[in-house]
């Protein structure tokens, strides 16, 4: 028998429901846009989020992921002639034969957005640009970026080098789980010391002005600095074909967001990002709806030594919910009312589903609070044998009986002798 209870609640744990809204609501210049919750992957706002665009240097998010997972930051990389020959656009003037640690190349990749550093990292990891591109595409699919195709590690123009706002958000969400990646993209300056080929220190500065710039932009008619408090990464990008691109990570006051803007123009890429982050902060909140071990119901136990067991929720439940939709979330319990013994503590008895507008947005298990054994077999002998203390008692009683019988026999012998 299934039990369904509908309750008004304010949130749940793992969401798959999308609160996306019509194009143009936020008056964005960027042609491809997404706002995603960092923890759950829930889409809070989107505009052409599954359409393909040129990603420019936001490509380097994936390059960094592979370097971190397959490289050693202390390794020394020797630059070859091919890296120099293929370099155009932003660079740190690497020279053939120059030696530099992977750590410094990673800083150049993500802070300065150096295209030569990207090529050097690709050859260090895979031996060739082509093989590295294969790894990039393989890893993209692993992290849920299914509509992406990379042909180089730096994002320089190529008609086959494309991705989507959604895919970039998934890559950034994955990358930001890596502590080293977070530490690099959260800084906007870095110093590379002299090398065997360069006698001068290289001073790097990020083009991600959300981290530091007091230059003013217009956001919905209000003048505000580009710097956005709470932004802790991730990556800018620009080519003529791609236009202005920006992937942003934000964390503050319980909000953890990823924003992607592709094919915007000039400072509008920052205005677009401000609008997205403002929208997420003002319209959504993460609320705890339920606690682990919350009582759900008593379940009948068939053939158990105890006739019922309490079922409780397995996990705490959170949800990123639009503020005006709190009361629309429903809760549904699904379980068999009678459970067969034996039952172990923590055994799954059913599940709790959370729904919004009829769609399941999350679920958690209902679990048993205790062990319950099956009622012993009516066979008395088997039941007695299953109890070790009864066996000992029987042995003691039997021994006592044997001793008494011996004593009685001795007494009878004495009596017989006396009579004779």
């Amino acid at each position: 028998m299934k039990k369904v209870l509908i309750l008004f609640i304010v949130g749940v744990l793992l969401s798959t429901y999308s609160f996306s809204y019509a194009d143009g609501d936020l008056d964005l210049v960027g042609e491809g846009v997404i706002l995603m919750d960092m923890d759950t992957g829930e889409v809070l706002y989107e505009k052409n989020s599954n359409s393909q665009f040129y990603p420019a240097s936001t490509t380097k998010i994936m390059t960094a992921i592979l370097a971190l997972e397959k490289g050693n930051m202390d390794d020394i990389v020797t630059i070859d002639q091919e890296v120099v020959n293929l370099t155009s656009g932003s660079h740190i003037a690497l020279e053939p034969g120059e030696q530099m640690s992977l750590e410094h190349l990673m800083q150049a990749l993500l802070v300065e957005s150096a295209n030569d550093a990207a090529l050097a990292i690709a050859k260090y990891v895979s031996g060739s640009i082509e093989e590295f591109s294969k790894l990039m595409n393989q890893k993209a699919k692993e992290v849920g970026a299914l509509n992406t195709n990379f042909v180089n590690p730096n994002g320089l123009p190529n008609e086959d080098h494309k991705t989507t706002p959604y895919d970039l958000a998934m890559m950034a969400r994955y990358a930001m789980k890596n502590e080293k990646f977070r530490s690099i993209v959260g800084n906007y300056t870095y110093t590379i010391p002299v090398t065997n080929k360069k006698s001068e220190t290289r001073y790097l500065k990020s083009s991600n002005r959300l981290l530091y710039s007091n230059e003013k932009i217009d956001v919905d008619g209000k003048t505000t600095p580009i710097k956005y408090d709470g932004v802790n990464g991730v990556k800018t990008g620009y080519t003529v074909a791609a236009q202005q691109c920006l992937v942003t990570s934000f964390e503050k006051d319980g909000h953890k967001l990823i924003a992607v803007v592709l094919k915007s123009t000039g400072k509008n890429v920052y205005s677009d990002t401000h609008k997205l982050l403002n929208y997420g902060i003002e319209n959504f909140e993460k609320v705890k709806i339920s606690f682990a071990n919350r009582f759900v119901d008593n379940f009948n136990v068939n053939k158990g030594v105890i006739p019922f067991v309490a079922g409780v929720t397995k996990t705490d439940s959170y949800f990123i919910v639009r503020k005006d939709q709190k009361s629309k979330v429903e809760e549904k319990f699904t379980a068999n009312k009678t459970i067969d013994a034996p039952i172990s503590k923590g055994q799954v008895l059913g599940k709790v589903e959370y729904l919004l507008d009829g769609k399941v947005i999350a679920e958690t298990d209902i679990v048993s609070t205790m062990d319950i054994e099956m009622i012993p077999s009516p066979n008395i002998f088997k039941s007695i044998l299953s109890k070790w203390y009864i066996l000992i008692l029987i042995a003691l009683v039997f021994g006592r009986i044997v001793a008494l019988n011996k004593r009685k026999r001795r007494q009878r012998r004495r009596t017989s002798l006396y009579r004779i």
Side-chain angles (χ1 to χ4, degrees), residues 219-359:
V219 180
D220 293 326
K222 297 179 180 178
T223 301
T224 186
I226 292 177
K227 181 180 179 180
Y228 199 104
D229 191 25
V231 167
N232 57 354
V234 179
K235 190 72 190 73
T236 60
Y238 174 82
T239 65
V240 173
Q243 293 297 294
Q244 295 289 347
C245 304
L246 181 58
V247 179
T248 302
S249 169
F250 169 87
E251 183 173 354
K252 186 180 179 184
D253 299 333
H255 293 278
K256 295 175 70 176
L257 304 171
I258 293 288
V260 178
V261 178
L262 298 181
K263 206 170 185 180
S264 191
T265 59
K267 296 178 187 177
N268 289 313
V269 74
Y270 294 112
S271 298
D272 288 348
T273 302
H274 273 245
K275 291 176 184 179
L276 285 169
L277 296 178
N278 290 345
Y279 177 78
I281 294 166
E282 293 168 3
N283 291 279
F284 296 88
E285 60 182 311
K286 185 176 182 178
V287 185
K288 190 171 187 176
I289 168 58
S290 182
F291 297 83
N293 298 315
R294 176 171 67 90
F295 175 75
V296 175
D297 201 0
N298 287 317
F299 295 84
N300 297 325
V301 178
N302 185 37
K303 297 181 181 180
V305 294
I306 299 174
F308 63 87
V309 64
V312 297
T313 51
K314 184 177 181 179
T315 59
D316 292 339
S317 297
Y318 297 86
F319 187 49
I320 298 295
V321 62
R322 188 178 170 96
K323 293 178 181 178
D324 61 5
Q325 293 183 315
K326 288 181 182 180
S327 62
K328 296 181 181 179
V329 182
E330 299 174 340
E331 188 176 59
K332 175 182 176 181
F333 300 134
T334 304
N336 292 323
K337 187 59 180 175
T338 300
I339 311 295
D340 291 331
I343 296 171
S344 57
K345 184 177 180 179
Q347 179 177 323
V348 175
L349 306 177
K351 65 180 178 181
V352 183
E353 294 179 319
Y354 301 93
L355 303 94
L356 184 62
D357 295 333
K359 297 181 180 180

Side-chain angles (χ1 to χ4, degrees), residues 68-82:
L68 289 166
E69 294 186 348
K70 296 184 177 296
N72 184 321
M73 293 298 105
D74 294 328
D75 282 356
I76 301 300
V77 179
T78 301
I79 310 304
D80 65 17
Q81 187 64 51
E82 184 183 23

Side-chain angles (χ1 to χ4, degrees), residues 13-15 36-42 173 318-320:
L13 178 59
L14 298 173
S15 171
M36 180 181 288
D37 179 71
M38 173 80 78
D39 289 332
T40 67
E42 181 180 340
R173 183 178 173 223
Y318 297 86
F319 187 49
I320 298 295

Side-chain angles (χ1 to χ4, degrees), residues 165-202:
Y166 178 85
D167 284 5
L168 273 175
M170 294 298 287
M171 288 181 243
R173 183 178 173 223
Y174 179 88
M176 288 298 288
K177 295 176 183 178
N178 185 291
E179 184 178 354
K180 183 63 177 179
F181 183 90
R182 289 197 310 271
S183 71
I184 297 174
V185 298
N187 291 325
Y188 55 89
T189 60
Y190 189 78
T191 301
I192 297 178
V194 298
T195 68
N196 64 317
K197 291 287 185 175
K198 283 288 194 295
S199 59
E200 295 182 357
T201 299
R202 290 176 170 103

